[in-house]
Amino acid sequence: MGIAHSRSVPNYIQLEKEAGRELLNDPDKAIKLYGKALNYKLKNPDNLHASIGRSYLMIGLIYANMKLDNQLACDHFLKAIPFLEVEDVSSYTLAYFFLAVCYAEIGKFPQAYETMRKSLEDRKKAFGENSSEVAMSLNGMAYISKKEKKYEQALDYYLEAERILRDLPGNKAQHELADLKREFFYHQNFDPLEANIKTSIAVLHPDLSYVYFFIAEVLLKLDRREQAIYYIDKHFETLKNQHENQQSYQLYLQDQIVKTRELY
């Protein structure tokens, strides 16, 4: 029995590695592979509660971002929450974040605001009032407000997220993503499921340059064109600074600046 169990653990980890490789090419296959790994964990739950929660979270992310089935995504985020609550506060608050976004996508705005506020308040307690995690939830509140066409409210949330991110040293999300890629590709014992979830966090994290872009977008909706131009310029200025050593990207940005200013 002991030998069978020791072999089964690498098997479910291997399933998750394979699922991660299939994410972009075949989301349906990735879901099946994550599902097989999840079924193993549910049959052997000892010391795997947080990992079970991350499995539900990852499958929910695939349904939300690649399959565009927000109801199934909501179902999986809801299942993830009780498994994550005690052992993994980062993924726990992230599950609330994505659940709120799903509610907004299907038009359940009261539930969306309530759920995103839960993510916001829990992140303030866990990570501090001026953390990048709090900025992410503020960005989420702005997104919901924008979906509901409450543009003044969205602007307030975006400006608060901008204040936090502007005062943080460097670009935390980009550094986290780079570290995770190094861990994932060079250390075979690194948890591939956790890597894929945290990569999703980093990709969706409110980078300061794009918060500037979102502010400009909302200001245009409010017919405040001059202010919108100021923030779109800030967007491109920040991007240029982030990629100052990449000549090809600088040329691409210059072209985009010209095209965007024509639109504004």
Side-chain angles (χ1 to χ4, degrees), residues 54 57-58 61 65 88-95 97-98 123 127 132-133 136-137 139 171-174 176-177 180 193-207:
R54 288 193 288 271
L57 180 56
M58 191 66 217
L61 284 169
N65 298 324
D88 188 348
V89 67
S90 179
S91 296
Y92 172 69
T93 58
L94 189 70
F97 176 92
F98 283 114
R123 282 176 160 176
F127 305 111
S132 60
E133 291 83 2
M136 185 180 183
S137 290
N139 199 52
N171 187 324
K172 182 180 177 184
Q174 289 185 356
E176 286 177 349
L177 181 55
L180 282 163
L193 180 62
E194 187 174 0
N196 285 330
I197 290 172
K198 288 188 176 180
T199 298
S200 298
I201 297 169
V203 170
L204 292 164
H205 211 287
D207 178 280

Side-chain angles (χ1 to χ4, degrees), residues 12-104:
Y12 88 79
I13 292 176
Q14 190 59 41
L15 283 169
E16 290 171 344
K17 285 186 177 182
E18 188 178 345
R21 289 192 290 269
E22 294 292 341
L23 270 176
L24 295 179
N25 297 324
D26 192 342
D28 290 311
K29 186 175 181 180
I31 288 172
K32 288 178 182 177
L33 290 166
Y34 279 126
K36 286 182 181 179
L38 174 60
N39 286 336
Y40 168 83
K41 296 177 195 177
L42 289 170
K43 291 175 183 176
N44 304 272
D46 291 348
N47 301 317
L48 289 175
H49 274 69
S51 188
I52 290 169
R54 288 193 288 271
S55 289
Y56 280 124
L57 180 56
M58 191 66 217
I59 295 170
L61 284 169
I62 300 172
Y63 277 121
N65 298 324
M66 297 178 182
K67 299 294 291 178
L68 302 181
D69 189 328
N70 286 294
Q71 188 55 62
L72 273 175
C74 283
D75 294 344
H76 282 82
F77 295 144
L78 281 166
K79 289 177 181 177
I81 287 168
F83 288 101
L84 298 169
E85 184 172 6
V86 175
E87 298 179 32
D88 188 348
V89 67
S90 179
S91 296
Y92 172 69
T93 58
L94 189 70
Y96 273 107
F97 176 92
F98 283 114
L99 178 59
V101 171
C102 279
Y103 281 146

